[in-house]
């Protein structure tokens, strides 16, 4: 997963950060998953990984939203640039939303950087819509980057699926 996360950062965020900062952030992401995976049994968090030929190509880390009781939040969703356009990430999102759905359905939200049109198109393609909420996030480069929130409602039932709220 660290390889997927780092590779996605190196490509998706090129131009948003200096080359040095981007590489440092990618290295941090490459090394962060071991401790998080070790804690997965302690919470209701979900980690799903899509593999192609036994290699991780995309992953999603999600769980109960700390900001919205009863809702779920996607904390990280990344796919390896080699898998972009292959359908792997869309299939993984379908599985994630099915897993996050509750008996009465469930609201799911995700934050993404405003200046990442590819991720914003992906969330829209998966049934997410901008919620209208905006925020600012420090990314370690001395600047605050604009974030936008996307949301969807996952209906109850087998297979879940996404739709507009």
């Amino acid at each position: 997963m660290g390889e997927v996360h780092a590779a996605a950062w190196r490509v998706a965020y090129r131009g948003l950060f200096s080359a040095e900062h981007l590489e440092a952030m990618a290295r941090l992401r490459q090394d962060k998953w071991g401790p998080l995976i070790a804690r997965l049994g302690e919470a209701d968090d979900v980690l799903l990984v899509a593999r192609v030929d036994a290699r991780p190509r995309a992953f999603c880390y999600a769980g109960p939203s700390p900001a919205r009781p009863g809702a779920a939040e996607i904390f990280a969703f990344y796919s390896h640039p080699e898998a972009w356009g292959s359908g792997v990430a869309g299939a993984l999102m379908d599985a994630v939303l099915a897993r996050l759905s509750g008996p009465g359905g469930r609201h799911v939200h995700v934050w993404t950087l405003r200046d990442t049109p590819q991720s914003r198109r992906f969330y829209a393609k998966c049934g997410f819509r901008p919620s209208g909420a905006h925020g600012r996030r420090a990314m370690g480069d001395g600047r605050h980057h604009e974030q936008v929130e996307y949301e969807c409602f996952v209906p109850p039932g087998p297979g879940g699926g996404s739709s507009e709220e």
Side-chain angles (χ1 to χ4, degrees):
M1 285 188 327
E3 175 189 331
V4 170
H5 199 177
W9 257 73
R10 287 181 179 111
V11 175
Y13 300 136
R14 189 179 300 142
L16 293 179
F17 304 102
S18 71
E20 298 80 20
H21 183 71
L22 184 60
E23 186 56 33
M25 297 300 285
R27 280 193 308 271
L28 283 173
R29 273 130 187 91
Q30 192 157 354
D31 298 334
K32 79 180 247 178
W33 290 99
L36 190 137
I37 290 169
R39 292 190 312 268
L40 276 176
E42 300 170 12
D44 292 331
D45 293 349
V46 173
L47 177 65
L48 295 180
V49 179
R51 295 177 185 272
V52 175
D53 296 328
R55 292 185 65 204
R57 296 287 86 186
F59 73 90
C60 179
Y61 173 55
S65 172
R68 296 187 177 179
E73 183 171 350
I74 294 175
F75 305 119
F77 192 106
Y78 290 94
S79 64
H80 196 287
E82 292 173 358
W84 291 357
S86 69
V88 169
L92 177 61
M93 182 62 81
D94 288 346
V96 166
L97 294 176
R99 181 80 176 262
L100 294 176
S101 179
R106 195 166 194 194
H107 180 263
V108 179
H109 69 112
V110 61
W111 288 92
T112 190
L113 293 178
R114 181 195 66 202
D115 296 327
T116 54
Q118 183 169 350
S119 65
R120 295 178 70 180
R121 282 191 304 270
F122 173 74
Y123 291 125
K125 183 178 177 182
C126 292
F128 286 78
R129 299 293 175 252
S131 71
H134 297 268
R136 294 172 56 83
R137 182 173 177 195
M139 304 290 285
D141 63 345
R143 299 181 302 155
H144 284 84
H145 296 266
E146 295 293 323
Q147 288 186 299
V148 292
E149 182 188 49
Y150 278 69
E151 63 184 355
C152 74
F153 181 77
V154 183
S162 60
S163 67
E164 286 186 45
E165 183 168 5

